[in-house]
């Protein structure tokens, strides 16, 4: 894959944010907040870091694989998949509508290229990613497995089963990230169920932990992922604490849980799109 | 009682169905290198030790974390593996229902959920472990195949057969030593009911351990001049509808026998099939909306009305209702 400049990557981010807002607005449903917050991470993965094939082979042999555990941020994933060639951007129009392959939460049943497992019910994606990483080891496939979880999702018990399992089985071909935006549906994570020191927790479970201080700065995201890769192959999985701002890129959405699962109205959409340059052409 | 009866199938040895699973698992592991195993701290109970010893690189001890095990299994299919998960039936279903629903069934993953210690015949451990709802939960899930073999030989054959079936499977077996009464070379075809005994007065549809009780019941009924057709429903989903309807067209009434709640079990799906196509009287042998308790397997089957004697009574009642 040709290397993209920082400018090009930022241009993709701007377009992806427009896609997210327009998709969620069109069906008046979906989760714009963390989708906007994780845009740089997805663009860094699909446009810079991962070796992947948009013609899509579900088995993913010889490719890097990505698993989204917090499936409600499907808008950002769908936009990035379509913008990187997995399916036509026109299909983004069908998001959350009847007879669509773009289900509210990611699914395999409709055969959308790029999706390998359903997610949405929280806490399950890391376990699946570990399984896929173990399969790569058995197959002698040296490509990597990436996973993303939410920070609110850390409240699910299964996460900690998986956290215990990966170091035990020396799954050192896995980079898991947590979107640390400090928000969940009912409010700030600190008030809902305080996660306290995630770094200490994951280290205690035997992971190499790195911190991305600003996950909305694409050069920092890429630098972190490069560092994560350099730590692999030593018997430990890597956990990346990816600090982001929920709603990043739209001034009235940023930093609040209020836009976790709410769609903008016509006026709000116009306001938001006015803050984001159309770089690759709206679908 | 069994020895003086002239049963159509006989046995010389008793063995647990979980050993049929363990032996089948080793054999299928030798045949198919994509088969991998996972177990949540019950390798001995599930008889998975021989496979683990033979294929240590294809086996994962995951500790007491069944939810994670189901996710791992789903992930292992991505890359072409055929994972067999092993734990007790309770922890293979109710405990991890959402994981199975989303990561395996809805995601169409080729995972084989292998569940031991199902039903009352688990015995002394009591109701916390004697799951009687698992077949219902699993057969409600789209894409899921549900198999409940009856003895060591059939369990071994089923364990081998499911590797060649693309898609999620729930394989249910148990703990007690049970008669080995089916031939070792009996072909096992998923979704194809096995007519074990031909008859004309009543059809008994039986699954799991209760197939043996039905074999005994047939001999008792035959001595009384009643002709029983016995059909072994090892695959509860997809149900062999054609075999069910062809049999009741001849006999005109049915008894279902299973180690499970009435709700959600084999009796339910047979009743649905009959009501939709060809309503005939049906009697149910199973557990009637209650939890189990501690005791010896035979004592429990007697107390909860799941033995041959009860099948005999149910058959007579079904015939009388024709």
């Amino acid at each position: 894959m040709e290397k993209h400049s920082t400018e090009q990557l930022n241009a993709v981010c701007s377009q992806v944010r427009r896609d997210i807002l327009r998709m969620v607005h069109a069906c008046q449903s979906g989760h714009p907040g963390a989708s906007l917050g994780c845009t740089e991470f997805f663009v860094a993965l699909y446009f810079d870091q991962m070796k992947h094939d948009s013609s899509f082979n579900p088995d993913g042999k010889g490719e890097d694989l990505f698993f989204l555990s917090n499936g409600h941020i499907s808008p950002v994933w769908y936009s990035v998949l379509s913008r990187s060639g997995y399916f036509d951007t026109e299909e983004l129009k069908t998001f959350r509508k009847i007879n669509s392959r773009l289900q509210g939460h990611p699914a395999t049943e409709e055969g959308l290229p790029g999706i390998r497992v359903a997610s949405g019910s929280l806490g399950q994606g890391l376990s699946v990613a570990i399984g896929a990483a173990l399969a790569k080891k058995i197959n002698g496939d040296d490509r990597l497995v990436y996973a993303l979880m939410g920070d609110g999702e850390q409240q699910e018990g299964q996460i900690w089963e998986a956290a215990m399992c990966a170091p035990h089985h020396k799954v050192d071909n896995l980079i898991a990230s947590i979107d640390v935006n400090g928000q969940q549906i009912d409010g700030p994570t600190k008030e809902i169920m305080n996660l306290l020191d995630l770094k200490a927790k994951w280290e205690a479970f035997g992971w190499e932990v790195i911190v991305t201080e600003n996950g909305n700065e694409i050069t920092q995201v890429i630098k972190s992922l490069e560092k994560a890769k350099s730590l692999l192959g030593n018997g430990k999985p890597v956990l990346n604490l990816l600090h982001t701002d929920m709603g990043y890129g739209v001034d009235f959405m940023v930093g609040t849980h209020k836009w976790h699962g709410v769609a903008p109205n016509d006026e709000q959409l116009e306001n938001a799109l006015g803050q984001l340059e159309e770089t690759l052409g709206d679908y | 009682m069994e020895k003086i009866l002239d049963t159509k199938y006989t046995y010389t040895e008793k063995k647990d169905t979980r050993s049929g699973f363990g032996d089948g698992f080793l054999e299928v592991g030798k045949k198919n290198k994509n088969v991998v195993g996972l177990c949540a701290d019950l390798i001995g109970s599930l008889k998975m030790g021989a496979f683990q010893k033979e294929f240590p690189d294809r086996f994962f001890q995951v500790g007491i974390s069944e939810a994670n095990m189901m996710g791992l299994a789903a992930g292992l299919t991505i890359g072409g593996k055929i994972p067999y998960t092993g734990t007790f039936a309770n922890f293979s279903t109710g405990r991890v229902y959402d994981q199975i629903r989303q990561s395996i069934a809805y995601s169409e993953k080729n995972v084989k959920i292998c569940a031991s210690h199902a039903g009352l015949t688990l015995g002394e451990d009591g109701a916390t472990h004697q799951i009687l709802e698992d077949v219902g939960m699993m057969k409600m899930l789209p894409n899921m195949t549900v198999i409940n073999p009856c003895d060591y030989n059939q369990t071994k054959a089923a364990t081998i057969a499911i590797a060649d079936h693309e898609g999620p499977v729930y394989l249910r077996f148990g703990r007690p030593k049970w008669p080995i009464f089916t031939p070792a070379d009996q072909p096992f075809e998923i979704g194809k009911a096995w007519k074990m005994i031909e008859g004309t007065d009543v059809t008994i549809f039986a699954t799991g351990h209760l197939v043996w009780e039905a074999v005994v019941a047939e001999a008792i009924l035959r001595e009384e001049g009643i002709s029983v057709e016995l059909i072994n429903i090892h695959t509860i989903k997809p149900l062999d509808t054609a075999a069910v309807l062809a049999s009741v067209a001849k006999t005109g009434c049915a008894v279902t026998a299973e180690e499970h709640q009435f709700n959600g079990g084999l009796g339910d799906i047979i009743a649905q099939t009959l009501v939709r196509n060809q309503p005939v009287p049906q009697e149910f042998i199973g557990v009637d909306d209650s939890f189990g308790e501690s005791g010896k397997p035979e004592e429990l089957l007697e107390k909860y009305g799941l033995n041959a004697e009860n099948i005999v009574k149910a058959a007579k009642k079904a015939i009388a209702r024709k």
Side-chain angles (χ1 to χ4, degrees):
Chain A
M1 188 168 60
E2 60 179 298
K3 274 283 170 196
H4 296 90
S5 67
T6 303
E7 197 178 17
Q8 286 172 321
L9 293 172
N10 280 326
V12 176
C13 288
S14 181
Q15 188 64 51
V16 167
R17 287 196 162 92
R18 289 181 70 90
D19 290 348
I20 292 166
L21 292 161
R22 295 177 69 239
M23 286 162 75
V24 171
H25 171 261
C27 61
Q28 281 298 297
S29 138
H31 298 78
S35 292
L36 293 167
C38 289
T39 296
E40 279 78 15
F41 177 74
F42 277 81
V43 170
L45 279 184
Y46 279 85
F47 286 81
D48 188 78
Q49 290 287 298
M50 290 202 309
K51 182 193 175 213
H52 64 106
D53 179 359
S54 62
S55 63
F56 190 56
N57 161 26
D59 263 356
K61 284 181 184 163
E63 290 181 66
D64 294 327
L65 303 180
F66 170 70
F67 293 95
L68 177 67
S69 190
N70 46 332
H72 57 276
I73 69 167
S74 56
V76 63
W77 199 13
Y78 292 155
S79 167
V80 167
L81 285 173
S82 79
R83 294 287 171 187
S84 54
Y86 281 79
F87 53 87
D88 199 293
T89 53
E90 280 297 300
E91 200 170 343
L92 296 175
K93 279 181 183 161
T94 68
F95 174 61
R96 281 187 175 239
K97 292 182 177 167
I98 192 132
N99 298 325
S100 173
R101 299 196 294 178
L102 278 62
Q103 291 291 296
H105 294 83
T108 60
E109 203 171 55
E110 291 75 18
L112 187 69
I115 312 294
R116 292 188 168 87
V117 71
S119 61
S121 175
L122 294 173
Q124 301 184 28
L126 182 59
S127 299
V128 177
I130 294 169
L134 289 169
K136 285 206 177 294
K137 281 181 173 283
I138 297 172
N139 290 337
D141 177 346
D142 62 2
R143 302 310 308 187
L144 305 179
V145 175
Y146 294 86
L148 179 66
M149 301 171 271
D151 54 357
E153 190 180 10
Q154 303 303 300
Q155 294 156 4
E156 290 281 9
Q158 187 181 347
I159 295 279
W160 302 99
E161 294 185 2
M164 202 179 296
C165 173
H168 178 83
H169 284 291
K170 300 188 166 45
V171 183
D172 57 3
N173 53 347
L174 170 67
I175 299 170
S177 296
I178 300 173
D179 175 20
V180 185
N181 59 29
Q183 307 289 336
Q184 57 190 111
I185 296 184
D186 276 352
T189 50
K190 272 185 186 155
E191 292 172 20
I192 305 306
M193 182 53 67
N194 201 341
L195 303 166
L196 298 175
D197 190 343
L198 282 177
K199 187 167 189 288
K201 284 189 165 88
W202 283 87
E203 279 172 351
F205 276 77
W207 292 60
E208 290 281 2
V209 181
I210 63 168
V211 180
T212 309
E213 298 287 355
N214 186 353
N216 294 118
E217 174 67 56
I218 194 133
T219 51
Q220 247 198 65
V221 175
I222 289 170
K223 207 172 141 193
S224 278
L225 291 171
E226 291 288 354
K227 186 179 174 192
K229 278 194 282 192
S230 75
L231 294 168
L232 292 175
N234 294 310
K236 285 182 170 189
V238 175
L239 191 280
N240 172 28
L241 291 169
L242 178 79
H243 289 267
T244 72
D245 279 326
M246 192 179 245
Y248 187 85
V250 179
D251 57 9
F252 62 90
M253 290 185 170
V254 76
T256 165
H257 68 275
K258 287 182 184 136
W259 292 92
H260 170 91
V262 176
N265 62 27
D266 294 351
E267 197 182 319
Q268 289 162 334
L269 178 71
E270 201 185 323
N271 180 352
L273 292 180
Q275 303 174 34
L276 297 161
E277 192 188 346
E278 183 184 344
T279 51
L280 304 175
D282 287 341
Y283 59 81
Chain B
M1 180 170 78
E2 290 141 23
K3 281 190 182 136
I4 39 170
L5 276 172
D6 174 28
T7 53
K8 295 267 187 186
Y9 292 82
T10 55
Y11 70 93
T12 53
E13 191 190 355
K14 287 187 177 187
K15 226 171 176 179
D16 42 5
T17 50
R18 59 180 168 156
S19 286
F21 165 70
D23 292 347
F25 186 43
L26 177 63
E27 195 168 317
V28 76
K30 288 177 181 167
K31 268 176 60 179
N32 188 331
K33 68 177 173 48
N34 283 324
V35 168
V36 300
L38 302 104
C39 188
D41 194 30
L42 288 168
I43 290 170
S45 296
L46 270 282
K47 309 289 182 191
M48 294 174 105
F51 182 103
Q52 183 194 29
K53 199 173 163 202
E54 183 87 12
F55 307 109
D57 298 337
R58 284 158 50 191
F59 191 88
F60 303 98
Q61 167 65 272
V62 301
I64 309 166
S65 58
E66 296 81 7
N68 183 49
M69 176 168 72
M70 293 303 166
L72 254 58
L76 278 156
T77 66
I78 301 164
K81 301 298 137 198
I82 306 171
Y84 282 54
T85 66
T87 182
F88 292 162
N90 188 18
F91 315 137
S92 294
T93 56
R95 188 177 183 90
V96 290
Y97 197 62
D98 189 43
Q99 284 77 14
I100 294 174
R101 181 176 180 274
Q102 175 172 285
S103 293
I104 296 174
Y106 184 42
S107 296
E108 305 161 295
K109 292 289 173 264
N110 193 21
V111 174
K112 315 305 170 188
I113 301 163
C114 303
S116 186
H117 294 51
L120 290 173
T121 52
L122 166 55
E124 292 81 353
D125 279 346
T128 54
H129 289 50
Q130 288 162 340
I131 195 157
L132 297 164
E133 304 82 33
D134 52 329
V135 169
M137 283 189 278
M138 290 297 112
K139 84 176 165 51
M140 273 202 292
L141 289 172
N143 299 332
M144 186 66 73
T145 292
V146 179
I147 299 174
N148 185 26
C150 65
D151 71 353
Y152 170 91
N153 284 338
Q154 197 175 53
T155 307
K156 185 175 173 189
T159 303
I160 294 164
I162 58 177
D164 294 326
H165 169 88
E166 177 74 29
V169 172
Y170 179 63
L171 180 67
R172 179 199 215 225
F173 43 92
R175 178 172 185 267
K177 294 210 186 312
W178 211 248
I180 305 177
F181 58 99
T182 70
D185 59 355
Q186 177 69 29
F188 186 88
E189 197 180 332
I190 295 169
K192 184 94 182 126
W194 174 26
K195 190 191 291 176
M196 295 182 69
I197 298 172
E198 294 236 21
T200 53
D201 295 332
V202 57
T203 308
I204 301 175
F205 298 104
T207 189
H209 291 133
L210 290 207
V211 176
W212 172 251
E213 297 296 325
V215 167
V216 174
E218 187 276 338
I220 297 169
L221 287 160
R222 181 157 31 87
E223 284 189 352
E224 298 182 27
I226 294 168
S227 168
V228 171
E229 181 142 303
L230 172 57
I231 300 194
N232 179 325
I233 307 280
H234 49 73
T235 308
I236 297 173
K237 183 187 175 187
L239 184 68
D240 189 346
T241 307
V244 170
L245 295 176
S247 182
V248 299
K250 184 170 58 172
T251 62
C253 67
V255 172
T256 52
E258 60 190 313
E259 205 183 339
H260 192 272
Q261 302 283 356
F262 290 164
N263 286 326
L266 172 67
D268 251 16
I269 190 64
I270 298 273
Q272 262 192 54
T273 304
L274 296 181
V275 165
R276 283 180 170 172
N277 297 282
Q278 197 173 329
V280 298
Q282 177 183 348
E283 292 294 325
F284 295 74
I285 294 293
V287 175
D288 186 6
D289 200 25
S290 85
F291 292 105
E293 66 182 80
S294 293
K296 291 190 191 311
E298 300 75 22
E299 292 171 341
L300 290 162
L301 290 183
E302 188 179 349
K303 176 166 177 177
Y304 288 83
L306 270 65
N307 59 13
E309 196 183 323
N310 296 97
I311 296 173
V312 167
K313 282 184 200 156
K316 288 178 181 171
K317 201 170 164 192
I319 291 167
R321 287 173 58 203
K322 278 205 256 188

